[in-house]
Amino acid sequence: METNVKDDTTMAMTPNLVTPTTDKLPSWVLSPPQDSSHLYGVGSAPRIDNIALSFAQAEQNGNAQIAQQLRTQVSQINTQNTQVSNATGQPEQVTRIQSAYTQVKTPPIELEQTVNEARFAGKDVVYALQSIDRNRIVAKLKLTMQDIDEAIQQQASQLSSKPGTAPREQEWRTYMQLIPLFAKRKTTHDELALYDQHVSSFLHSDPAISRLETQTNKALSEFGFDTTNTSFPQALNSALSTFGLTPKMHSTFQLTSQTSQHSQTQDGRFYAFEEGTLSLLDSAGNQLGTWTASGRGISTDKSAAIQQAKADWSHQAIQGMFHWLTGQ
């Protein structure tokens, strides 16, 4: 005599799976929970024979929905631009020069912190409810901010010039090494703002740190980099501004360059290549460092390809110098 036994394998393999007697969707599919301490995302995926893979895809889609909510918030935060001028007096747009340490980018989203709250298997589609704990991430990021502030204060303790006074040329290295610390602080604050909407004043909550940032900005502006004796002053001025450095005639630092160019044509397109070295000198003419860079430009117009190659070379050269200056 045969006995019909219900197969429970699917239930065992998929915890939190809701298996109703009807195809009625649970309420969270159309209306995710609302909770000030958590963010929720609902993901779906086609149901296939390997239901575990279906749920894995649904969970990823739920995580993506959480990420989209966070990215929407960051687009509302990072909107400020500032107008500056280069050494030749031509206006040039740069990103938030008062921060002057890094271009604004979307902070990393901590999706590894997401948790599956519930699952539902319909006839053709599976659903997953994902959540992320804001409070847990906020606590971790605030500790990171405290560590960064301690590192800033330790680095700044080497300065003999006081806030409000002219920076001393011999202390340029100390100022430069503050740049990545303030950049990391700004990035961490932007990430913190993703999860805690009440931290708008947290970035400047410590008056001592704010004074040091102002002092560093002033030093970067007063030191300046003179590109007069280079092959491409305009392109190098633009690259300097991109990294928050100030192009300035008769300044503390002098830049010189030696470059060579060649081009070729293929299938109606011009390929231009720029190669050479960029050198950094102090006010006494002593060489502090040299960086080799290569740039490339591609266009149907030869002059446009050459300009692209110059701009690319300038960016690569300044990037190498910036990393050396800041000790990154």
Side-chain angles (χ1 to χ4, degrees), residues 10-36:
T10 300
M11 288 291 292
M13 292 177 60
T14 55
N16 299 325
L17 174 63
V18 179
T19 309
T21 57
T22 69
D23 288 332
K24 183 179 179 181
L25 295 177
S27 60
W28 55 261
V29 172
L30 300 177
S31 181
Q34 299 292 322
D35 186 340
S36 61

mmCIF file with all atom_site columns, all heavy atoms in Angstrom, residues 10-36:
data_model
loop_
_atom_site.group_PDB
_atom_site.id
_atom_site.type_symbol
_atom_site.label_atom_id
_atom_site.label_alt_id
_atom_site.label_comp_id
_atom_site.label_asym_id
_atom_site.label_entity_id
_atom_site.label_seq_id
_atom_site.pdbx_PDB_ins_code
_atom_site.Cartn_x
_atom_site.Cartn_y
_atom_site.Cartn_z
_atom_site.occupancy
_atom_site.B_iso_or_equiv
_atom_site.pdbx_formal_charge
_atom_site.auth_seq_id
_atom_site.auth_comp_id
_atom_site.auth_asym_id
_atom_site.auth_atom_id
_atom_site.pdbx_PDB_model_num
ATOM 1   N N   . THR A 1 10 ? 11.566 22.082 0.079  1.00 0.00 ? 10 THR A N   1
ATOM 2   C CA  . THR A 1 10 ? 11.641 23.510 -0.219 1.00 0.00 ? 10 THR A CA  1
ATOM 3   C C   . THR A 1 10 ? 11.593 24.336 1.047  1.00 0.00 ? 10 THR A C   1
ATOM 4   O O   . THR A 1 10 ? 12.341 25.288 1.232  1.00 0.00 ? 10 THR A O   1
ATOM 5   C CB  . THR A 1 10 ? 10.490 23.911 -1.157 1.00 0.00 ? 10 THR A CB  1
ATOM 6   O OG1 . THR A 1 10 ? 10.595 23.164 -2.366 1.00 0.00 ? 10 THR A OG1 1
ATOM 7   C CG2 . THR A 1 10 ? 10.546 25.406 -1.470 1.00 0.00 ? 10 THR A CG2 1
ATOM 8   N N   . MET A 1 11 ? 10.732 23.980 1.969  1.00 0.00 ? 11 MET A N   1
ATOM 9   C CA  . MET A 1 11 ? 10.625 24.718 3.218  1.00 0.00 ? 11 MET A CA  1
ATOM 10  C C   . MET A 1 11 ? 11.921 24.662 4.014  1.00 0.00 ? 11 MET A C   1
ATOM 11  O O   . MET A 1 11 ? 12.342 25.625 4.619  1.00 0.00 ? 11 MET A O   1
ATOM 12  C CB  . MET A 1 11 ? 9.480  24.158 4.066  1.00 0.00 ? 11 MET A CB  1
ATOM 13  C CG  . MET A 1 11 ? 8.097  24.487 3.517  1.00 0.00 ? 11 MET A CG  1
ATOM 14  S SD  . MET A 1 11 ? 7.749  26.252 3.663  1.00 0.00 ? 11 MET A SD  1
ATOM 15  C CE  . MET A 1 11 ? 7.644  26.386 5.436  1.00 0.00 ? 11 MET A CE  1
ATOM 16  N N   . ALA A 1 12 ? 12.585 23.505 3.986  1.00 0.00 ? 12 ALA A N   1
ATOM 17  C CA  . ALA A 1 12 ? 13.815 23.350 4.762  1.00 0.00 ? 12 ALA A CA  1
ATOM 18  C C   . ALA A 1 12 ? 14.953 24.190 4.185  1.00 0.00 ? 12 ALA A C   1
ATOM 19  O O   . ALA A 1 12 ? 15.809 24.676 4.902  1.00 0.00 ? 12 ALA A O   1
ATOM 20  C CB  . ALA A 1 12 ? 14.222 21.875 4.800  1.00 0.00 ? 12 ALA A CB  1
ATOM 21  N N   . MET A 1 13 ? 14.934 24.363 2.856  1.00 0.00 ? 13 MET A N   1
ATOM 22  C CA  . MET A 1 13 ? 16.038 25.071 2.215  1.00 0.00 ? 13 MET A CA  1
ATOM 23  C C   . MET A 1 13 ? 15.868 26.582 2.247  1.00 0.00 ? 13 MET A C   1
ATOM 24  O O   . MET A 1 13 ? 16.811 27.321 2.028  1.00 0.00 ? 13 MET A O   1
ATOM 25  C CB  . MET A 1 13 ? 16.169 24.626 0.753  1.00 0.00 ? 13 MET A CB  1
ATOM 26  C CG  . MET A 1 13 ? 16.637 23.196 0.583  1.00 0.00 ? 13 MET A CG  1
ATOM 27  S SD  . MET A 1 13 ? 16.685 22.751 -1.156 1.00 0.00 ? 13 MET A SD  1
ATOM 28  C CE  . MET A 1 13 ? 17.846 23.939 -1.788 1.00 0.00 ? 13 MET A CE  1
ATOM 29  N N   . THR A 1 14 ? 14.653 27.068 2.498  1.00 0.00 ? 14 THR A N   1
ATOM 30  C CA  . THR A 1 14 ? 14.414 28.492 2.404  1.00 0.00 ? 14 THR A CA  1
ATOM 31  C C   . THR A 1 14 ? 13.765 29.009 3.677  1.00 0.00 ? 14 THR A C   1
ATOM 32  O O   . THR A 1 14 ? 12.548 29.060 3.788  1.00 0.00 ? 14 THR A O   1
ATOM 33  C CB  . THR A 1 14 ? 13.498 28.814 1.201  1.00 0.00 ? 14 THR A CB  1
ATOM 34  O OG1 . THR A 1 14 ? 12.299 28.035 1.334  1.00 0.00 ? 14 THR A OG1 1
ATOM 35  C CG2 . THR A 1 14 ? 14.170 28.456 -0.102 1.00 0.00 ? 14 THR A CG2 1
ATOM 36  N N   . PRO A 1 15 ? 14.549 29.366 4.686  1.00 0.00 ? 15 PRO A N   1
ATOM 37  C CA  . PRO A 1 15 ? 13.992 29.911 5.921  1.00 0.00 ? 15 PRO A CA  1
ATOM 38  C C   . PRO A 1 15 ? 13.228 31.193 5.642  1.00 0.00 ? 15 PRO A C   1
ATOM 39  O O   . PRO A 1 15 ? 13.525 31.921 4.702  1.00 0.00 ? 15 PRO A O   1
ATOM 40  C CB  . PRO A 1 15 ? 15.235 30.172 6.770  1.00 0.00 ? 15 PRO A CB  1
ATOM 41  C CG  . PRO A 1 15 ? 16.342 30.293 5.794  1.00 0.00 ? 15 PRO A CG  1
ATOM 42  C CD  . PRO A 1 15 ? 16.008 29.368 4.675  1.00 0.00 ? 15 PRO A CD  1
ATOM 43  N N   . ASN A 1 16 ? 12.236 31.481 6.477  1.00 0.00 ? 16 ASN A N   1
ATOM 44  C CA  . ASN A 1 16 ? 11.386 32.658 6.367  1.00 0.00 ? 16 ASN A CA  1
ATOM 45  C C   . ASN A 1 16 ? 10.438 32.599 5.175  1.00 0.00 ? 16 ASN A C   1
ATOM 46  O O   . ASN A 1 16 ? 9.770  33.572 4.864  1.00 0.00 ? 16 ASN A O   1
ATOM 47  C CB  . ASN A 1 16 ? 12.204 33.958 6.265  1.00 0.00 ? 16 ASN A CB  1
ATOM 48  C CG  . ASN A 1 16 ? 13.073 34.169 7.485  1.00 0.00 ? 16 ASN A CG  1
ATOM 49  O OD1 . ASN A 1 16 ? 12.677 33.817 8.586  1.00 0.00 ? 16 ASN A OD1 1
ATOM 50  N ND2 . ASN A 1 16 ? 14.246 34.729 7.275  1.00 0.00 ? 16 ASN A ND2 1
ATOM 51  N N   . LEU A 1 17 ? 10.394 31.468 4.454  1.00 0.00 ? 17 LEU A N   1
ATOM 52  C CA  . LEU A 1 17 ? 9.527  31.354 3.297  1.00 0.00 ? 17 LEU A CA  1
ATOM 53  C C   . LEU A 1 17 ? 8.080  31.263 3.732  1.00 0.00 ? 17 LEU A C   1
ATOM 54  O O   . LEU A 1 17 ? 7.712  30.441 4.562  1.00 0.00 ? 17 LEU A O   1
ATOM 55  C CB  . LEU A 1 17 ? 9.909  30.108 2.477  1.00 0.00 ? 17 LEU A CB  1
ATOM 56  C CG  . LEU A 1 17 ? 8.993  29.769 1.288  1.00 0.00 ? 17 LEU A CG  1
ATOM 57  C CD1 . LEU A 1 17 ? 9.037  30.900 0.272  1.00 0.00 ? 17 LEU A CD1 1
ATOM 58  C CD2 . LEU A 1 17 ? 9.411  28.467 0.665  1.00 0.00 ? 17 LEU A CD2 1
ATOM 59  N N   . VAL A 1 18 ? 7.231  32.137 3.176  1.00 0.00 ? 18 VAL A N   1
ATOM 60  C CA  . VAL A 1 18 ? 5.809  32.098 3.450  1.00 0.00 ? 18 VAL A CA  1
ATOM 61  C C   . VAL A 1 18 ? 5.139  31.300 2.349  1.00 0.00 ? 18 VAL A C   1
ATOM 62  O O   . VAL A 1 18 ? 5.258  31.646 1.171  1.00 0.00 ? 18 VAL A O   1
ATOM 63  C CB  . VAL A 1 18 ? 5.221  33.532 3.500  1.00 0.00 ? 18 VAL A CB  1
ATOM 64  C CG1 . VAL A 1 18 ? 3.730  33.480 3.757  1.00 0.00 ? 18 VAL A CG1 1
ATOM 65  C CG2 . VAL A 1 18 ? 5.920  34.349 4.573  1.00 0.00 ? 18 VAL A CG2 1
ATOM 66  N N   . THR A 1 19 ? 4.467  30.229 2.684  1.00 0.00 ? 19 THR A N   1
ATOM 67  C CA  . THR A 1 19 ? 3.823  29.388 1.691  1.00 0.00 ? 19 THR A CA  1
ATOM 68  C C   . THR A 1 19 ? 2.331  29.310 1.990  1.00 0.00 ? 19 THR A C   1
ATOM 69  O O   . THR A 1 19 ? 1.863  28.401 2.686  1.00 0.00 ? 19 THR A O   1
ATOM 70  C CB  . THR A 1 19 ? 4.433  27.961 1.689  1.00 0.00 ? 19 THR A CB  1
ATOM 71  O OG1 . THR A 1 19 ? 5.853  28.076 1.603  1.00 0.00 ? 19 THR A OG1 1
ATOM 72  C CG2 . THR A 1 19 ? 3.924  27.154 0.503  1.00 0.00 ? 19 THR A CG2 1
ATOM 73  N N   . PRO A 1 20 ? 1.534  30.268 1.520  1.00 0.00 ? 20 PRO A N   1
ATOM 74  C CA  . PRO A 1 20 ? 0.111  30.278 1.812  1.00 0.00 ? 20 PRO A CA  1
ATOM 75  C C   . PRO A 1 20 ? -0.642 29.293 0.934  1.00 0.00 ? 20 PRO A C   1
ATOM 76  O O   . PRO A 1 20 ? -0.113 28.791 -0.058 1.00 0.00 ? 20 PRO A O   1
ATOM 77  C CB  . PRO A 1 20 ? -0.283 31.716 1.484  1.00 0.00 ? 20 PRO A CB  1
ATOM 78  C CG  . PRO A 1 20 ? 0.662  32.117 0.387  1.00 0.00 ? 20 PRO A CG  1
ATOM 79  C CD  . PRO A 1 20 ? 1.950  31.411 0.690  1.00 0.00 ? 20 PRO A CD  1
ATOM 80  N N   . THR A 1 21 ? -1.859 29.060 1.297  1.00 0.00 ? 21 THR A N   1
ATOM 81  C CA  . THR A 1 21 ? -2.691 28.153 0.509  1.00 0.00 ? 21 THR A CA  1
ATOM 82  C C   . THR A 1 21 ? -3.240 28.864 -0.722 1.00 0.00 ? 21 THR A C   1
ATOM 83  O O   . THR A 1 21 ? -3.776 28.221 -1.615 1.00 0.00 ? 21 THR A O   1
ATOM 84  C CB  . THR A 1 21 ? -3.863 27.626 1.355  1.00 0.00 ? 21 THR A CB  1
ATOM 85  O OG1 . THR A 1 21 ? -4.607 28.753 1.856  1.00 0.00 ? 21 THR A OG1 1
ATOM 86  C CG2 . THR A 1 21 ? -3.352 26.813 2.516  1.00 0.00 ? 21 THR A CG2 1
ATOM 87  N N   . THR A 1 22 ? -3.134 30.204 -0.779 1.00 0.00 ? 22 THR A N   1
ATOM 88  C CA  . THR A 1 22 ? -3.568 30.970 -1.939 1.00 0.00 ? 22 THR A CA  1
ATOM 89  C C   . THR A 1 22 ? -2.388 31.762 -2.464 1.00 0.00 ? 22 THR A C   1
ATOM 90  O O   . THR A 1 22 ? -1.311 31.764 -1.882 1.00 0.00 ? 22 THR A O   1
ATOM 91  C CB  . THR A 1 22 ? -4.707 31.934 -1.557 1.00 0.00 ? 22 THR A CB  1
ATOM 92  O OG1 . THR A 1 22 ? -4.170 32.950 -0.709 1.00 0.00 ? 22 THR A OG1 1
ATOM 93  C CG2 . THR A 1 22 ? -5.823 31.212 -0.828 1.00 0.00 ? 22 THR A CG2 1
ATOM 94  N N   . ASP A 1 23 ? -2.596 32.438 -3.592 1.00 0.00 ? 23 ASP A N   1
ATOM 95  C CA  . ASP A 1 23 ? -1.536 33.245 -4.178 1.00 0.00 ? 23 ASP A CA  1
ATOM 96  C C   . ASP A 1 23 ? -1.589 34.690 -3.705 1.00 0.00 ? 23 ASP A C   1
ATOM 97  O O   . ASP A 1 23 ? -0.972 35.564 -4.293 1.00 0.00 ? 23 ASP A O   1
ATOM 98  C CB  . ASP A 1 23 ? -1.627 33.212 -5.710 1.00 0.00 ? 23 ASP A CB  1
ATOM 99  C CG  . ASP A 1 23 ? -1.203 31.862 -6.263 1.00 0.00 ? 23 ASP A CG  1
ATOM 100 O OD1 . ASP A 1 23 ? -0.389 31.199 -5.610 1.00 0.00 ? 23 ASP A OD1 1
ATOM 101 O OD2 . ASP A 1 23 ? -1.693 31.492 -7.344 1.00 0.00 ? 23 ASP A OD2 1
ATOM 102 N N   . LYS A 1 24 ? -2.309 34.974 -2.651 1.00 0.00 ? 24 LYS A N   1
ATOM 103 C CA  . LYS A 1 24 ? -2.435 36.337 -2.150 1.00 0.00 ? 24 LYS A CA  1
ATOM 104 C C   . LYS A 1 24 ? -1.091 36.826 -1.626 1.00 0.00 ? 24 LYS A C   1
ATOM 105 O O   . LYS A 1 24 ? -0.449 36.177 -0.806 1.00 0.00 ? 24 LYS A O   1
ATOM 106 C CB  . LYS A 1 24 ? -3.484 36.401 -1.048 1.00 0.00 ? 24 LYS A CB  1
ATOM 107 C CG  . LYS A 1 24 ? -3.716 37.811 -0.526 1.00 0.00 ? 24 LYS A CG  1
ATOM 108 C CD  . LYS A 1 24 ? -4.795 37.830 0.545  1.00 0.00 ? 24 LYS A CD  1
ATOM 109 C CE  . LYS A 1 24 ? -5.004 39.235 1.065  1.00 0.00 ? 24 LYS A CE  1
ATOM 110 N NZ  . LYS A 1 24 ? -6.040 39.275 2.133  1.00 0.00 ? 24 LYS A NZ  1
ATOM 111 N N   . LEU A 1 25 ? -0.686 37.989 -2.088 1.00 0.00 ? 25 LEU A N   1
ATOM 112 C CA  . LEU A 1 25 ? 0.599  38.549 -1.672 1.00 0.00 ? 25 LEU A CA  1
ATOM 113 C C   . LEU A 1 25 ? 0.514  39.050 -0.238 1.00 0.00 ? 25 LEU A C   1
ATOM 114 O O   . LEU A 1 25 ? -0.499 39.633 0.162  1.00 0.00 ? 25 LEU A O   1
ATOM 115 C CB  . LEU A 1 25 ? 0.991  39.713 -2.581 1.00 0.00 ? 25 LEU A CB  1
ATOM 116 C CG  . LEU A 1 25 ? 1.278  39.403 -4.051 1.00 0.00 ? 25 LEU A CG  1
ATOM 117 C CD1 . LEU A 1 25 ? 1.567  40.696 -4.797 1.00 0.00 ? 25 LEU A CD1 1
ATOM 118 C CD2 . LEU A 1 25 ? 2.452  38.449 -4.186 1.00 0.00 ? 25 LEU A CD2 1
ATOM 119 N N   . PRO A 1 26 ? 1.595  38.861 0.544  1.00 0.00 ? 26 PRO A N   1
ATOM 120 C CA  . PRO A 1 26 ? 1.614  39.453 1.884  1.00 0.00 ? 26 PRO A CA  1
ATOM 121 C C   . PRO A 1 26 ? 1.672  40.972 1.773  1.00 0.00 ? 26 PRO A C   1
ATOM 122 O O   . PRO A 1 26 ? 2.128  41.524 0.769  1.00 0.00 ? 26 PRO A O   1
ATOM 123 C CB  . PRO A 1 26 ? 2.893  38.883 2.497  1.00 0.00 ? 26 PRO A CB  1
ATOM 124 C CG  . PRO A 1 26 ? 3.744  38.481 1.343  1.00 0.00 ? 26 PRO A CG  1
ATOM 125 C CD  . PRO A 1 26 ? 2.810  38.065 0.255  1.00 0.00 ? 26 PRO A CD  1
ATOM 126 N N   . SER A 1 27 ? 1.253  41.662 2.810  1.00 0.00 ? 27 SER A N   1
ATOM 127 C CA  . SER A 1 27 ? 1.134  43.121 2.763  1.00 0.00 ? 27 SER A CA  1
ATOM 128 C C   . SER A 1 27 ? 2.466  43.815 2.512  1.00 0.00 ? 27 SER A C   1
ATOM 129 O O   . SER A 1 27 ? 2.518  44.873 1.884  1.00 0.00 ? 27 SER A O   1
ATOM 130 C CB  . SER A 1 27 ? 0.510  43.634 4.066  1.00 0.00 ? 27 SER A CB  1
ATOM 131 O OG  . SER A 1 27 ? 1.331  43.277 5.177  1.00 0.00 ? 27 SER A OG  1
ATOM 132 N N   . TRP A 1 28 ? 3.581  43.232 2.987  1.00 0.00 ? 28 TRP A N   1
ATOM 133 C CA  . TRP A 1 28 ? 4.864  43.907 2.857  1.00 0.00 ? 28 TRP A CA  1
ATOM 134 C C   . TRP A 1 28 ? 5.357  43.994 1.414  1.00 0.00 ? 28 TRP A C   1
ATOM 135 O O   . TRP A 1 28 ? 6.233  44.812 1.089  1.00 0.00 ? 28 TRP A O   1
ATOM 136 C CB  . TRP A 1 28 ? 5.930  43.267 3.734  1.00 0.00 ? 28 TRP A CB  1
ATOM 137 C CG  . TRP A 1 28 ? 6.147  41.784 3.549  1.00 0.00 ? 28 TRP A CG  1
ATOM 138 C CD1 . TRP A 1 28 ? 5.636  40.782 4.318  1.00 0.00 ? 28 TRP A CD1 1
ATOM 139 C CD2 . TRP A 1 28 ? 6.939  41.136 2.535  1.00 0.00 ? 28 TRP A CD2 1
ATOM 140 N NE1 . TRP A 1 28 ? 6.044  39.549 3.861  1.00 0.00 ? 28 TRP A NE1 1
ATOM 141 C CE2 . TRP A 1 28 ? 6.859  39.740 2.765  1.00 0.00 ? 28 TRP A CE2 1
ATOM 142 C CE3 . TRP A 1 28 ? 7.701  41.597 1.469  1.00 0.00 ? 28 TRP A CE3 1
ATOM 143 C CZ2 . TRP A 1 28 ? 7.506  38.803 1.959  1.00 0.00 ? 28 TRP A CZ2 1
ATOM 144 C CZ3 . TRP A 1 28 ? 8.354  40.672 0.664  1.00 0.00 ? 28 TRP A CZ3 1
ATOM 145 C CH2 . TRP A 1 28 ? 8.248  39.292 0.916  1.00 0.00 ? 28 TRP A CH2 1
ATOM 146 N N   . VAL A 1 29 ? 4.815  43.164 0.522  1.00 0.00 ? 29 VAL A N   1
ATOM 147 C CA  . VAL A 1 29 ? 5.243  43.220 -0.885 1.00 0.00 ? 29 VAL A CA  1
ATOM 148 C C   . VAL A 1 29 ? 4.846  44.561 -1.497 1.00 0.00 ? 29 VAL A C   1
ATOM 149 O O   . VAL A 1 29 ? 5.636  45.206 -2.202 1.00 0.00 ? 29 VAL A O   1
ATOM 150 C CB  . VAL A 1 29 ? 4.637  42.054 -1.681 1.00 0.00 ? 29 VAL A CB  1
ATOM 151 C CG1 . VAL A 1 29 ? 4.925  42.227 -3.179 1.00 0.00 ? 29 VAL A CG1 1
ATOM 152 C CG2 . VAL A 1 29 ? 5.209  40.725 -1.200 1.00 0.00 ? 29 VAL A CG2 1
ATOM 153 N N   . LEU A 1 30 ? 3.615  44.986 -1.256 1.00 0.00 ? 30 LEU A N   1
ATOM 154 C CA  . LEU A 1 30 ? 3.128  46.253 -1.818 1.00 0.00 ? 30 LEU A CA  1
ATOM 155 C C   . LEU A 1 30 ? 3.352  47.435 -0.888 1.00 0.00 ? 30 LEU A C   1
ATOM 156 O O   . LEU A 1 30 ? 3.409  48.580 -1.329 1.00 0.00 ? 30 LEU A O   1
ATOM 157 C CB  . LEU A 1 30 ? 1.642  46.126 -2.150 1.00 0.00 ? 30 LEU A CB  1
ATOM 158 C CG  . LEU A 1 30 ? 1.290  45.032 -3.171 1.00 0.00 ? 30 LEU A CG  1
ATOM 159 C CD1 . LEU A 1 30 ? -0.220 44.960 -3.357 1.00 0.00 ? 30 LEU A CD1 1
ATOM 160 C CD2 . LEU A 1 30 ? 1.979  45.306 -4.497 1.00 0.00 ? 30 LEU A CD2 1
ATOM 161 N N   . SER A 1 31 ? 3.498  47.173 0.414  1.00 0.00 ? 31 SER A N   1
ATOM 162 C CA  . SER A 1 31 ? 3.657  48.245 1.392  1.00 0.00 ? 31 SER A CA  1
ATOM 163 C C   . SER A 1 31 ? 4.710  47.842 2.422  1.00 0.00 ? 31 SER A C   1
ATOM 164 O O   . SER A 1 31 ? 4.379  47.311 3.488  1.00 0.00 ? 31 SER A O   1
ATOM 165 C CB  . SER A 1 31 ? 2.321  48.541 2.078  1.00 0.00 ? 31 SER A CB  1
ATOM 166 O OG  . SER A 1 31 ? 2.460  49.593 3.005  1.00 0.00 ? 31 SER A OG  1
ATOM 167 N N   . PRO A 1 32 ? 5.995  48.085 2.118  1.00 0.00 ? 32 PRO A N   1
ATOM 168 C CA  . PRO A 1 32 ? 7.063  47.721 3.051  1.00 0.00 ? 32 PRO A CA  1
ATOM 169 C C   . PRO A 1 32 ? 6.896  48.438 4.386  1.00 0.00 ? 32 PRO A C   1
ATOM 170 O O   . PRO A 1 32 ? 6.276  49.507 4.445  1.00 0.00 ? 32 PRO A O   1
ATOM 171 C CB  . PRO A 1 32 ? 8.341  48.188 2.341  1.00 0.00 ? 32 PRO A CB  1
ATOM 172 C CG  . PRO A 1 32 ? 7.967  48.289 0.904  1.00 0.00 ? 32 PRO A CG  1
ATOM 173 C CD  . PRO A 1 32 ? 6.514  48.696 0.888  1.00 0.00 ? 32 PRO A CD  1
ATOM 174 N N   . PRO A 1 33 ? 7.429  47.873 5.467  1.00 0.00 ? 33 PRO A N   1
ATOM 175 C CA  . PRO A 1 33 ? 7.323  48.515 6.783  1.00 0.00 ? 33 PRO A CA  1
ATOM 176 C C   . PRO A 1 33 ? 7.947  49.907 6.796  1.00 0.00 ? 33 PRO A C   1
ATOM 177 O O   . PRO A 1 33 ? 8.856  50.207 6.018  1.00 0.00 ? 33 PRO A O   1
ATOM 178 C CB  . PRO A 1 33 ? 8.093  47.555 7.705  1.00 0.00 ? 33 PRO A CB  1
ATOM 179 C CG  . PRO A 1 33 ? 8.126  46.261 6.962  1.00 0.00 ? 33 PRO A CG  1
ATOM 180 C CD  . PRO A 1 33 ? 8.153  46.605 5.523  1.00 0.00 ? 33 PRO A CD  1
ATOM 181 N N   . GLN A 1 34 ? 7.470  50.760 7.669  1.00 0.00 ? 34 GLN A N   1
ATOM 182 C CA  . GLN A 1 34 ? 8.019  52.101 7.880  1.00 0.00 ? 34 GLN A CA  1
ATOM 183 C C   . GLN A 1 34 ? 8.617  52.148 9.283  1.00 0.00 ? 34 GLN A C   1
ATOM 184 O O   . GLN A 1 34 ? 7.923  51.887 10.262 1.00 0.00 ? 34 GLN A O   1
ATOM 185 C CB  . GLN A 1 34 ? 6.927  53.164 7.740  1.00 0.00 ? 34 GLN A CB  1
ATOM 186 C CG  . GLN A 1 34 ? 6.273  53.206 6.369  1.00 0.00 ? 34 GLN A CG  1
ATOM 187 C CD  . GLN A 1 34 ? 7.222  53.679 5.290  1.00 0.00 ? 34 GLN A CD  1
ATOM 188 O OE1 . GLN A 1 34 ? 8.034  54.583 5.532  1.00 0.00 ? 34 GLN A OE1 1
ATOM 189 N NE2 . GLN A 1 34 ? 7.150  53.070 4.115  1.00 0.00 ? 34 GLN A NE2 1
ATOM 190 N N   . ASP A 1 35 ? 9.905  52.449 9.369  1.00 0.00 ? 35 ASP A N   1
ATOM 191 C CA  . ASP A 1 35 ? 10.600 52.416 10.658 1.00 0.00 ? 35 ASP A CA  1
ATOM 192 C C   . ASP A 1 35 ? 11.739 53.416 10.605 1.00 0.00 ? 35 ASP A C   1
ATOM 193 O O   . ASP A 1 35 ? 12.588 53.355 9.713  1.00 0.00 ? 35 ASP A O   1
ATOM 194 C CB  . ASP A 1 35 ? 11.129 51.003 10.914 1.00 0.00 ? 35 ASP A CB  1
ATOM 195 C CG  . ASP A 1 35 ? 11.744 50.841 12.296 1.00 0.00 ? 35 ASP A CG  1
ATOM 196 O OD1 . ASP A 1 35 ? 12.103 51.858 12.911 1.00 0.00 ? 35 ASP A OD1 1
ATOM 197 O OD2 . ASP A 1 35 ? 11.872 49.691 12.746 1.00 0.00 ? 35 ASP A OD2 1
ATOM 198 N N   . SER A 1 36 ? 11.781 54.348 11.547 1.00 0.00 ? 36 SER A N   1
ATOM 199 C CA  . SER A 1 36 ? 12.818 55.376 11.531 1.00 0.00 ? 36 SER A CA  1
ATOM 200 C C   . SER A 1 36 ? 14.218 54.817 11.751 1.00 0.00 ? 36 SER A C   1
ATOM 201 O O   . SER A 1 36 ? 15.211 55.449 11.379 1.00 0.00 ? 36 SER A O   1
ATOM 202 C CB  . SER A 1 36 ? 12.522 56.435 12.601 1.00 0.00 ? 36 SER A CB  1
ATOM 203 O OG  . SER A 1 36 ? 12.510 55.849 13.893 1.00 0.00 ? 36 SER A OG  1
#
